[in-house]
Amino acid sequence: KREEVLDHVLVYGPPGLGKTTILRDIACILSKKTMKNLLICDERNEIFMPDIGIMCDVISFADKKTAFEVGIRAMRPDLLITDEITQEDIPAIKRAIGSGVTTIASAHLKDFNDVKSMQMDIFDKYAVLDSQVIGKLRKILNNNGEIIYKNVD
């Protein structure tokens, strides 16, 4: 059986567009459908929900550097989900990706130029939310900022 490989994804947009809700939904789906070990680094306890899945561990109220280091060492995750990364979190995310942990995160960014300037161009895909409709995906970009999917609704 071929092992399914998931991409490293950054969901971005301005505050209040539903990034955390989308991460919560992704965590729930991946935990239940893939049966991979999932670690949620939930700094402000906003992602976790009680029925997220049996293959899920959560570290809440810890900074990302600490949560990533402890979580990767002790919990052996296949997937890591975290919210609202900043430029200061990039070294920890690079270590997670370098350790073979698929990483899905969100960030408050306006456009792909912000991704580049904040050195967040370490992901495989970038999910851009619609600035007019909460929770609506507008497009997906590759690592070069090229559109690989556009929502035409």
Side-chain angles (χ1 to χ4, degrees):
K1 181 178 176 185
R2 192 173 73 82
E3 180 70 20
E4 185 175 342
V5 177
L6 300 172
D7 288 327
H8 307 287
V9 178
L10 179 67
V11 179
Y12 74 83
L17 294 182
K19 293 178 295 299
T20 301
T21 302
I22 289 170
L23 287 182
R24 188 180 308 119
D25 291 345
I26 289 170
C28 189
I29 290 166
L30 291 176
S31 177
K32 292 176 180 175
K33 300 282 184 185
T34 68
M35 297 304 288
K36 292 180 181 278
N37 292 329
L38 172 64
L39 173 61
I40 297 175
C41 294
D42 198 0
E43 197 167 9
R44 297 181 326 172
N45 202 33
E46 294 180 320
I47 301 172
F48 176 72
M49 58 186 189
D51 64 345
I52 205 147
I54 61 171
M55 300 299 291
C56 183
D57 291 305
V58 180
I59 298 176
S60 297
F61 304 112
D63 65 272
K64 289 174 185 67
K65 180 182 182 296
T66 303
F68 284 23
E69 287 176 8
V70 170
I72 290 170
R73 190 176 308 135
M75 297 173 180
R76 197 189 61 79
D78 299 305
L79 305 163
L80 186 147
I81 293 180
T82 193
D83 203 8
E84 297 183 16
I85 64 169
T86 65
Q87 193 169 15
E88 291 77 35
D89 300 320
I90 296 304
I93 292 169
K94 283 182 176 179
R95 282 192 296 279
I97 290 171
S99 298
V101 179
T102 299
T103 303
I104 301 172
S106 72
H108 291 159
L109 300 171
K110 185 176 67 174
D111 56 34
F112 198 74
N113 289 329
D114 289 345
V115 168
K116 294 292 227 184
S117 69
M118 299 292 285
Q119 301 172 353
M120 293 187 185
D121 53 345
I122 58 174
F123 294 86
D124 299 317
K125 304 271 183 347
Y126 299 86
V128 183
L129 300 186
D130 190 303
S131 61
Q132 304 301 313
V133 182
I134 294 173
K136 181 179 178 184
L137 179 67
R138 189 174 81 205
K139 60 187 172 183
I140 298 175
L141 308 175
N142 67 14
N143 191 264
N144 296 319
E146 301 163 332
I147 297 172
I148 57 174
Y149 169 83
K150 186 169 186 173
N151 192 344
V152 291
D153 279 354

mmCIF file with all atom_site columns, all heavy atoms in Angstrom, residues 4-21:
data_model
loop_
_atom_site.group_PDB
_atom_site.id
_atom_site.type_symbol
_atom_site.label_atom_id
_atom_site.label_alt_id
_atom_site.label_comp_id
_atom_site.label_asym_id
_atom_site.label_entity_id
_atom_site.label_seq_id
_atom_site.pdbx_PDB_ins_code
_atom_site.Cartn_x
_atom_site.Cartn_y
_atom_site.Cartn_z
_atom_site.occupancy
_atom_site.B_iso_or_equiv
_atom_site.pdbx_formal_charge
_atom_site.auth_seq_id
_atom_site.auth_comp_id
_atom_site.auth_asym_id
_atom_site.auth_atom_id
_atom_site.pdbx_PDB_model_num
ATOM 1   N N   . GLU A 1 4  ? 0.284   7.794  1.667  1.00 0.00 ? 4  GLU A N   1
ATOM 2   C CA  . GLU A 1 4  ? -0.198  9.075  1.177  1.00 0.00 ? 4  GLU A CA  1
ATOM 3   C C   . GLU A 1 4  ? 0.612   10.193 1.815  1.00 0.00 ? 4  GLU A C   1
ATOM 4   O O   . GLU A 1 4  ? 0.812   10.219 3.022  1.00 0.00 ? 4  GLU A O   1
ATOM 5   C CB  . GLU A 1 4  ? -1.672  9.253  1.529  1.00 0.00 ? 4  GLU A CB  1
ATOM 6   C CG  . GLU A 1 4  ? -2.267  10.502 0.949  1.00 0.00 ? 4  GLU A CG  1
ATOM 7   C CD  . GLU A 1 4  ? -3.756  10.600 1.200  1.00 0.00 ? 4  GLU A CD  1
ATOM 8   O OE1 . GLU A 1 4  ? -4.377  9.591  1.518  1.00 0.00 ? 4  GLU A OE1 1
ATOM 9   O OE2 . GLU A 1 4  ? -4.276  11.710 1.073  1.00 0.00 ? 4  GLU A OE2 1
ATOM 10  N N   . VAL A 1 5  ? 1.085   11.104 0.990  1.00 0.00 ? 5  VAL A N   1
ATOM 11  C CA  . VAL A 1 5  ? 1.871   12.231 1.457  1.00 0.00 ? 5  VAL A CA  1
ATOM 12  C C   . VAL A 1 5  ? 1.001   13.482 1.387  1.00 0.00 ? 5  VAL A C   1
ATOM 13  O O   . VAL A 1 5  ? 0.381   13.767 0.374  1.00 0.00 ? 5  VAL A O   1
ATOM 14  C CB  . VAL A 1 5  ? 3.140   12.417 0.590  1.00 0.00 ? 5  VAL A CB  1
ATOM 15  C CG1 . VAL A 1 5  ? 3.920   13.632 1.044  1.00 0.00 ? 5  VAL A CG1 1
ATOM 16  C CG2 . VAL A 1 5  ? 3.997   11.169 0.634  1.00 0.00 ? 5  VAL A CG2 1
ATOM 17  N N   . LEU A 1 6  ? 0.967   14.216 2.476  1.00 0.00 ? 6  LEU A N   1
ATOM 18  C CA  . LEU A 1 6  ? 0.204   15.456 2.534  1.00 0.00 ? 6  LEU A CA  1
ATOM 19  C C   . LEU A 1 6  ? 1.148   16.644 2.395  1.00 0.00 ? 6  LEU A C   1
ATOM 20  O O   . LEU A 1 6  ? 2.305   16.586 2.822  1.00 0.00 ? 6  LEU A O   1
ATOM 21  C CB  . LEU A 1 6  ? -0.560  15.546 3.852  1.00 0.00 ? 6  LEU A CB  1
ATOM 22  C CG  . LEU A 1 6  ? -1.574  14.433 4.110  1.00 0.00 ? 6  LEU A CG  1
ATOM 23  C CD1 . LEU A 1 6  ? -2.117  14.537 5.530  1.00 0.00 ? 6  LEU A CD1 1
ATOM 24  C CD2 . LEU A 1 6  ? -2.693  14.487 3.100  1.00 0.00 ? 6  LEU A CD2 1
ATOM 25  N N   . ASP A 1 7  ? 0.649   17.712 1.817  1.00 0.00 ? 7  ASP A N   1
ATOM 26  C CA  . ASP A 1 7  ? 1.446   18.927 1.641  1.00 0.00 ? 7  ASP A CA  1
ATOM 27  C C   . ASP A 1 7  ? 1.457   19.774 2.908  1.00 0.00 ? 7  ASP A C   1
ATOM 28  O O   . ASP A 1 7  ? 0.513   19.754 3.695  1.00 0.00 ? 7  ASP A O   1
ATOM 29  C CB  . ASP A 1 7  ? 0.856   19.781 0.511  1.00 0.00 ? 7  ASP A CB  1
ATOM 30  C CG  . ASP A 1 7  ? 1.078   19.179 -0.865 1.00 0.00 ? 7  ASP A CG  1
ATOM 31  O OD1 . ASP A 1 7  ? 2.113   18.526 -1.066 1.00 0.00 ? 7  ASP A OD1 1
ATOM 32  O OD2 . ASP A 1 7  ? 0.221   19.385 -1.744 1.00 0.00 ? 7  ASP A OD2 1
ATOM 33  N N   . HIS A 1 8  ? 2.524   20.544 3.050  1.00 0.00 ? 8  HIS A N   1
ATOM 34  C CA  . HIS A 1 8  ? 2.600   21.568 4.084  1.00 0.00 ? 8  HIS A CA  1
ATOM 35  C C   . HIS A 1 8  ? 1.772   22.749 3.573  1.00 0.00 ? 8  HIS A C   1
ATOM 36  O O   . HIS A 1 8  ? 1.992   23.217 2.453  1.00 0.00 ? 8  HIS A O   1
ATOM 37  C CB  . HIS A 1 8  ? 4.044   22.006 4.320  1.00 0.00 ? 8  HIS A CB  1
ATOM 38  C CG  . HIS A 1 8  ? 4.974   20.861 4.592  1.00 0.00 ? 8  HIS A CG  1
ATOM 39  N ND1 . HIS A 1 8  ? 4.975   20.175 5.779  1.00 0.00 ? 8  HIS A ND1 1
ATOM 40  C CD2 . HIS A 1 8  ? 5.926   20.277 3.819  1.00 0.00 ? 8  HIS A CD2 1
ATOM 41  C CE1 . HIS A 1 8  ? 5.884   19.225 5.739  1.00 0.00 ? 8  HIS A CE1 1
ATOM 42  N NE2 . HIS A 1 8  ? 6.470   19.263 4.557  1.00 0.00 ? 8  HIS A NE2 1
ATOM 43  N N   . VAL A 1 9  ? 0.821   23.215 4.383  1.00 0.00 ? 9  VAL A N   1
ATOM 44  C CA  . VAL A 1 9  ? -0.124  24.234 3.916  1.00 0.00 ? 9  VAL A CA  1
ATOM 45  C C   . VAL A 1 9  ? -0.185  25.397 4.896  1.00 0.00 ? 9  VAL A C   1
ATOM 46  O O   . VAL A 1 9  ? -0.248  25.197 6.114  1.00 0.00 ? 9  VAL A O   1
ATOM 47  C CB  . VAL A 1 9  ? -1.544  23.643 3.754  1.00 0.00 ? 9  VAL A CB  1
ATOM 48  C CG1 . VAL A 1 9  ? -2.546  24.711 3.324  1.00 0.00 ? 9  VAL A CG1 1
ATOM 49  C CG2 . VAL A 1 9  ? -1.539  22.481 2.758  1.00 0.00 ? 9  VAL A CG2 1
ATOM 50  N N   . LEU A 1 10 ? -0.215  26.610 4.349  1.00 0.00 ? 10 LEU A N   1
ATOM 51  C CA  . LEU A 1 10 ? -0.452  27.813 5.135  1.00 0.00 ? 10 LEU A CA  1
ATOM 52  C C   . LEU A 1 10 ? -1.766  28.425 4.663  1.00 0.00 ? 10 LEU A C   1
ATOM 53  O O   . LEU A 1 10 ? -1.942  28.702 3.477  1.00 0.00 ? 10 LEU A O   1
ATOM 54  C CB  . LEU A 1 10 ? 0.675   28.827 4.951  1.00 0.00 ? 10 LEU A CB  1
ATOM 55  C CG  . LEU A 1 10 ? 0.503   30.139 5.731  1.00 0.00 ? 10 LEU A CG  1
ATOM 56  C CD1 . LEU A 1 10 ? 0.591   29.887 7.238  1.00 0.00 ? 10 LEU A CD1 1
ATOM 57  C CD2 . LEU A 1 10 ? 1.532   31.168 5.291  1.00 0.00 ? 10 LEU A CD2 1
ATOM 58  N N   . VAL A 1 11 ? -2.695  28.599 5.605  1.00 0.00 ? 11 VAL A N   1
ATOM 59  C CA  . VAL A 1 11 ? -3.958  29.281 5.339  1.00 0.00 ? 11 VAL A CA  1
ATOM 60  C C   . VAL A 1 11 ? -3.755  30.727 5.782  1.00 0.00 ? 11 VAL A C   1
ATOM 61  O O   . VAL A 1 11 ? -3.397  30.964 6.926  1.00 0.00 ? 11 VAL A O   1
ATOM 62  C CB  . VAL A 1 11 ? -5.117  28.640 6.141  1.00 0.00 ? 11 VAL A CB  1
ATOM 63  C CG1 . VAL A 1 11 ? -6.428  29.376 5.873  1.00 0.00 ? 11 VAL A CG1 1
ATOM 64  C CG2 . VAL A 1 11 ? -5.236  27.151 5.838  1.00 0.00 ? 11 VAL A CG2 1
ATOM 65  N N   . TYR A 1 12 ? -3.970  31.681 4.861  1.00 0.00 ? 12 TYR A N   1
ATOM 66  C CA  . TYR A 1 12 ? -3.739  33.061 5.285  1.00 0.00 ? 12 TYR A CA  1
ATOM 67  C C   . TYR A 1 12 ? -4.824  34.016 4.814  1.00 0.00 ? 12 TYR A C   1
ATOM 68  O O   . TYR A 1 12 ? -5.566  33.750 3.877  1.00 0.00 ? 12 TYR A O   1
ATOM 69  C CB  . TYR A 1 12 ? -2.353  33.544 4.876  1.00 0.00 ? 12 TYR A CB  1
ATOM 70  C CG  . TYR A 1 12 ? -2.126  33.864 3.425  1.00 0.00 ? 12 TYR A CG  1
ATOM 71  C CD1 . TYR A 1 12 ? -2.491  35.106 2.907  1.00 0.00 ? 12 TYR A CD1 1
ATOM 72  C CD2 . TYR A 1 12 ? -1.518  32.959 2.574  1.00 0.00 ? 12 TYR A CD2 1
ATOM 73  C CE1 . TYR A 1 12 ? -2.258  35.420 1.585  1.00 0.00 ? 12 TYR A CE1 1
ATOM 74  C CE2 . TYR A 1 12 ? -1.281  33.262 1.248  1.00 0.00 ? 12 TYR A CE2 1
ATOM 75  C CZ  . TYR A 1 12 ? -1.649  34.491 0.754  1.00 0.00 ? 12 TYR A CZ  1
ATOM 76  O OH  . TYR A 1 12 ? -1.421  34.799 -0.559 1.00 0.00 ? 12 TYR A OH  1
ATOM 77  N N   . GLY A 1 13 ? -4.864  35.136 5.518  1.00 0.00 ? 13 GLY A N   1
ATOM 78  C CA  . GLY A 1 13 ? -5.805  36.209 5.237  1.00 0.00 ? 13 GLY A CA  1
ATOM 79  C C   . GLY A 1 13 ? -5.844  37.133 6.434  1.00 0.00 ? 13 GLY A C   1
ATOM 80  O O   . GLY A 1 13 ? -5.247  36.846 7.475  1.00 0.00 ? 13 GLY A O   1
ATOM 81  N N   . PRO A 1 14 ? -6.565  38.242 6.305  1.00 0.00 ? 14 PRO A N   1
ATOM 82  C CA  . PRO A 1 14 ? -6.702  39.166 7.437  1.00 0.00 ? 14 PRO A CA  1
ATOM 83  C C   . PRO A 1 14 ? -7.464  38.521 8.596  1.00 0.00 ? 14 PRO A C   1
ATOM 84  O O   . PRO A 1 14 ? -8.134  37.495 8.409  1.00 0.00 ? 14 PRO A O   1
ATOM 85  C CB  . PRO A 1 14 ? -7.495  40.336 6.847  1.00 0.00 ? 14 PRO A CB  1
ATOM 86  C CG  . PRO A 1 14 ? -7.339  40.218 5.372  1.00 0.00 ? 14 PRO A CG  1
ATOM 87  C CD  . PRO A 1 14 ? -7.168  38.764 5.090  1.00 0.00 ? 14 PRO A CD  1
ATOM 88  N N   . PRO A 1 15 ? -7.411  39.105 9.788  1.00 0.00 ? 15 PRO A N   1
ATOM 89  C CA  . PRO A 1 15 ? -8.149  38.566 10.936 1.00 0.00 ? 15 PRO A CA  1
ATOM 90  C C   . PRO A 1 15 ? -9.660  38.490 10.663 1.00 0.00 ? 15 PRO A C   1
ATOM 91  O O   . PRO A 1 15 ? -10.210 39.304 9.924  1.00 0.00 ? 15 PRO A O   1
ATOM 92  C CB  . PRO A 1 15 ? -7.861  39.576 12.053 1.00 0.00 ? 15 PRO A CB  1
ATOM 93  C CG  . PRO A 1 15 ? -6.600  40.253 11.651 1.00 0.00 ? 15 PRO A CG  1
ATOM 94  C CD  . PRO A 1 15 ? -6.610  40.286 10.145 1.00 0.00 ? 15 PRO A CD  1
ATOM 95  N N   . GLY A 1 16 ? -10.291 37.494 11.266 1.00 0.00 ? 16 GLY A N   1
ATOM 96  C CA  . GLY A 1 16 ? -11.743 37.396 11.241 1.00 0.00 ? 16 GLY A CA  1
ATOM 97  C C   . GLY A 1 16 ? -12.349 36.726 10.031 1.00 0.00 ? 16 GLY A C   1
ATOM 98  O O   . GLY A 1 16 ? -13.557 36.811 9.828  1.00 0.00 ? 16 GLY A O   1
ATOM 99  N N   . LEU A 1 17 ? -11.549 36.023 9.222  1.00 0.00 ? 17 LEU A N   1
ATOM 100 C CA  . LEU A 1 17 ? -12.090 35.393 8.016  1.00 0.00 ? 17 LEU A CA  1
ATOM 101 C C   . LEU A 1 17 ? -12.371 33.899 8.171  1.00 0.00 ? 17 LEU A C   1
ATOM 102 O O   . LEU A 1 17 ? -12.813 33.257 7.234  1.00 0.00 ? 17 LEU A O   1
ATOM 103 C CB  . LEU A 1 17 ? -11.151 35.610 6.827  1.00 0.00 ? 17 LEU A CB  1
ATOM 104 C CG  . LEU A 1 17 ? -10.996 37.045 6.361  1.00 0.00 ? 17 LEU A CG  1
ATOM 105 C CD1 . LEU A 1 17 ? -10.091 37.119 5.143  1.00 0.00 ? 17 LEU A CD1 1
ATOM 106 C CD2 . LEU A 1 17 ? -12.348 37.675 6.048  1.00 0.00 ? 17 LEU A CD2 1
ATOM 107 N N   . GLY A 1 18 ? -12.078 33.325 9.347  1.00 0.00 ? 18 GLY A N   1
ATOM 108 C CA  . GLY A 1 18 ? -12.387 31.920 9.572  1.00 0.00 ? 18 GLY A CA  1
ATOM 109 C C   . GLY A 1 18 ? -11.207 30.972 9.498  1.00 0.00 ? 18 GLY A C   1
ATOM 110 O O   . GLY A 1 18 ? -11.398 29.747 9.391  1.00 0.00 ? 18 GLY A O   1
ATOM 111 N N   . LYS A 1 19 ? -9.996  31.485 9.590  1.00 0.00 ? 19 LYS A N   1
ATOM 112 C CA  . LYS A 1 19 ? -8.815  30.618 9.504  1.00 0.00 ? 19 LYS A CA  1
ATOM 113 C C   . LYS A 1 19 ? -8.791  29.565 10.604 1.00 0.00 ? 19 LYS A C   1
ATOM 114 O O   . LYS A 1 19 ? -8.538  28.391 10.346 1.00 0.00 ? 19 LYS A O   1
ATOM 115 C CB  . LYS A 1 19 ? -7.534  31.465 9.557  1.00 0.00 ? 19 LYS A CB  1
ATOM 116 C CG  . LYS A 1 19 ? -7.335  32.342 8.349  1.00 0.00 ? 19 LYS A CG  1
ATOM 117 C CD  . LYS A 1 19 ? -6.084  33.195 8.450  1.00 0.00 ? 19 LYS A CD  1
ATOM 118 C CE  . LYS A 1 19 ? -6.150  34.210 9.557  1.00 0.00 ? 19 LYS A CE  1
ATOM 119 N NZ  . LYS A 1 19 ? -7.232  35.200 9.452  1.00 0.00 ? 19 LYS A NZ  1
ATOM 120 N N   . THR A 1 20 ? -9.067  29.956 11.826 1.00 0.00 ? 20 THR A N   1
ATOM 121 C CA  . THR A 1 20 ? -9.056  29.013 12.951 1.00 0.00 ? 20 THR A CA  1
ATOM 122 C C   . THR A 1 20 ? -10.145 27.961 12.781 1.00 0.00 ? 20 THR A C   1
ATOM 123 O O   . THR A 1 20 ? -9.910  26.772 13.025 1.00 0.00 ? 20 THR A O   1
ATOM 124 C CB  . THR A 1 20 ? -9.231  29.769 14.280 1.00 0.00 ? 20 THR A CB  1
ATOM 125 O OG1 . THR A 1 20 ? -8.173  30.720 14.414 1.00 0.00 ? 20 THR A OG1 1
ATOM 126 C CG2 . THR A 1 20 ? -9.196  28.811 15.465 1.00 0.00 ? 20 THR A CG2 1
ATOM 127 N N   . THR A 1 21 ? -11.305 28.357 12.350 1.00 0.00 ? 21 THR A N   1
ATOM 128 C CA  . THR A 1 21 ? -12.398 27.404 12.117 1.00 0.00 ? 21 THR A CA  1
ATOM 129 C C   . THR A 1 21 ? -12.008 26.401 11.036 1.00 0.00 ? 21 THR A C   1
ATOM 130 O O   . THR A 1 21 ? -12.268 25.202 11.173 1.00 0.00 ? 21 THR A O   1
ATOM 131 C CB  . THR A 1 21 ? -13.682 28.154 11.724 1.00 0.00 ? 21 THR A CB  1
ATOM 132 O OG1 . THR A 1 21 ? -14.007 29.072 12.774 1.00 0.00 ? 21 THR A OG1 1
ATOM 133 C CG2 . THR A 1 21 ? -14.834 27.207 11.492 1.00 0.00 ? 21 THR A CG2 1
#
